[in-house]
Amino acid sequence: MLPATASVPFLGILMLDTQFPRPPGDIGNLQTWAALGIPVQMHKVQGASPAKIVREADPRFVQPFVDAARAMQAQGAALITTSCGFLAAYQELLASSVDVPVVSSSLLQCAQLPRPGVVTIAAASLTPRILAAAGVPEGTPVQGVAPEGEFARRILGNELEMDIAQAERDVVAAAVALCQAHPQLGSIVLECTNMPVYRDAVARATGLPVHDVVSLLAQRWAALPA
């Protein structure tokens, strides 16, 4: 449940229904936002598991996310986001349902970046429709993490434990593979909202600027009217 109307504007985060670990840097860890000085409120959409949203693209959850966005606005959200990059599929619908800015996914910044490539949790599920909904330029290369690796298996399986060091290796390996296959890349976008944890490791391994949902939201928050 959301609290009574907040006394100060906040970033509203529409959360999937998850139990996997969320270390600092993850969109769902309060320390991530405290370090940036951004007040947040989170609202969990019941039943919206990672598998339901990423693998199944279950349309039954569209209206609950719209309702949650409206509730967030009513409580004082100045900016609304989601905890899953795949919800870019509903960017237009969510944005048209409220009167405050909506940033559904890190993918929204691809069109403004030089020669971007995308690292995702599930390449097979990141369809052209989702990419188009986020305005990702046609032909932008996409690389998924290993489907049976620690990162993908623990998060999409919504498991209680995760080897963070191995998860980092999975994400870095995907980014390196992306760069090797596409040496012309000028930037990397981490689709998954759990990947900002590994931003610095990816940047060190690839030598490229790395962008994610946390860095995008920090920029959008700073640009809001005072």
Side-chain angles (χ1 to χ4, degrees), residues 121-132:
I121 192 170
S125 299
L126 192 58
T127 64
R129 183 179 74 87
I130 297 173
L131 294 170

Side-chain angles (χ1 to χ4, degrees), residues 4 15 23 58 105 117 175 199 224:
M15 299 291 296
D58 192 330
S105 172
R199 178 199 306 140
L224 290 176

Side-chain angles (χ1 to χ4, degrees), residues 5-56:
T5 303
S7 58
V8 296
F10 62 87
L11 169 63
I13 306 177
L14 309 181
M15 299 291 296
L16 299 194
D17 192 349
T18 65
Q19 62 179 3
F20 57 76
R22 292 182 177 275
D26 187 288
I27 197 170
N29 187 308
L30 290 175
Q31 294 180 44
T32 302
W33 303 108
L36 294 169
I38 299 176
V40 299
Q41 297 283 352
M42 300 181 185
H43 178 80
K44 181 187 293 185
V45 176
Q46 296 294 326
S49 69
K52 288 289 183 182
I53 301 303
V54 174
R55 287 180 171 155
E56 300 176 27

